Amino acid sequence: MDMSQNEGSEWILRRSLFYAAFLATIPVLMGYLSIGIAFGVLLQSAGYGPLWAVFMSLTVYAGSCQFLECSLLAQAAPLPQVALMTLLLNFRHLFYGLSAMDKFKGAGWKKPYLIFSLTDETYALLTGVRPPVGKDSHTFYFCIALLNQAYWILGSLLGAALGALIPIDRSEERRVGKECRSRWSPYH
């Protein structure tokens, strides 16, 4: 077998793993698109456009936290408050990561991303779906995680773009937020 045949075989293997991961993630695709769109619309209404939606979905990638951050950003919440709320809301991910460490042994360069991308839905798939027989499990898990994040980014981007077309008045929310911060926050 010459080098080009070997490269072709590897491409077919990766392609079949990706397709198997895609089939496993179709339910997540449906959920992430709809919830991601809602997030994008909400973020846009807080004054942050599509690039912010993509940036947050690439770097934060924690749906419930991103929804919370929309309100915190709209109210110009102090950074310590944002950090504390983010920590409390995503604390469960620590247990996901700890329980998946054996599954990620030997994953090499994929391991940091597999840990980063452990959302509730990704964790459920990684612990409940078996890789195709005879295929590299770490590459299969990586494809699942990558697809799920891509779905979320796409939904967020679509939502932010649609949000630019749907005017939402959040002036009352901002006023109440500022009033509450001035009364109750030790940071103001």
Side-chain angles (χ1 to χ4, degrees), residues 170-182:
R170 295 186 70 173
S171 57
E172 184 64 15
E173 178 184 351
R174 289 185 189 103
R175 185 193 64 73
V176 170
K178 286 179 184 177
E179 185 178 321
C180 288
R181 276 196 320 278
S182 67

Side-chain angles (χ1 to χ4, degrees), residues 68-89:
L68 171 69
E69 288 179 2
C70 287
S71 292
L72 295 175
L73 286 170
Q75 297 174 19
L79 187 57
Q81 181 182 358
V82 173
L84 178 63
M85 296 303 293
T86 300
L87 175 69
L88 293 173
L89 190 58

Side-chain angles (χ1 to χ4, degrees), residues 7-28:
E7 288 174 2
S9 298
E10 287 182 29
W11 181 83
I12 290 171
L13 174 66
R14 283 190 302 252
R15 184 172 173 235
S16 65
L17 273 173
F18 190 81
Y19 183 70
F22 171 73
L23 292 177
T25 60
I26 289 173
V28 177

Side-chain angles (χ1 to χ4, degrees), residues 44-97:
Q44 177 69 38
S45 74
Y48 298 88
L51 290 178
W52 278 100
V54 170
F55 178 73
M56 282 183 72
S57 296
L58 278 170
T59 58
V60 177
Y61 187 42
S64 57
C65 184
Q66 287 179 247
F67 276 95
L68 171 69
E69 288 179 2
C70 287
S71 292
L72 295 175
L73 286 170
Q75 297 174 19
L79 187 57
Q81 181 182 358
V82 173
L84 178 63
M85 296 303 293
T86 300
L87 175 69
L88 293 173
L89 190 58
N90 289 315
F91 192 71
R92 68 189 183 285
H93 291 264
L94 173 68
F95 298 105
Y96 290 166

Side-chain angles (χ1 to χ4, degrees), residues 88-148:
L88 293 173
L89 190 58
N90 289 315
F91 192 71
R92 68 189 183 285
H93 291 264
L94 173 68
F95 298 105
Y96 290 166
L98 290 174
S99 69
M101 291 310 289
D102 285 340
K103 188 175 283 279
F104 296 161
K105 276 187 180 160
W109 63 268
K110 298 171 189 128
K111 187 175 182 178
Y113 181 73
L114 289 169
I115 293 169
F116 164 76
S117 64
L118 279 178
T119 62
D120 300 341
E121 296 79 9
T122 301
Y123 179 79
L125 288 174
L126 296 185
T127 58
V129 175
R130 295 182 194 268
V133 176
K135 308 289 182 171
D136 176 33
S137 62
H138 295 123
T139 301
F140 179 68
Y141 299 147
F142 182 80
C143 289
I144 286 174
L146 191 65
L147 282 166
N148 285 350

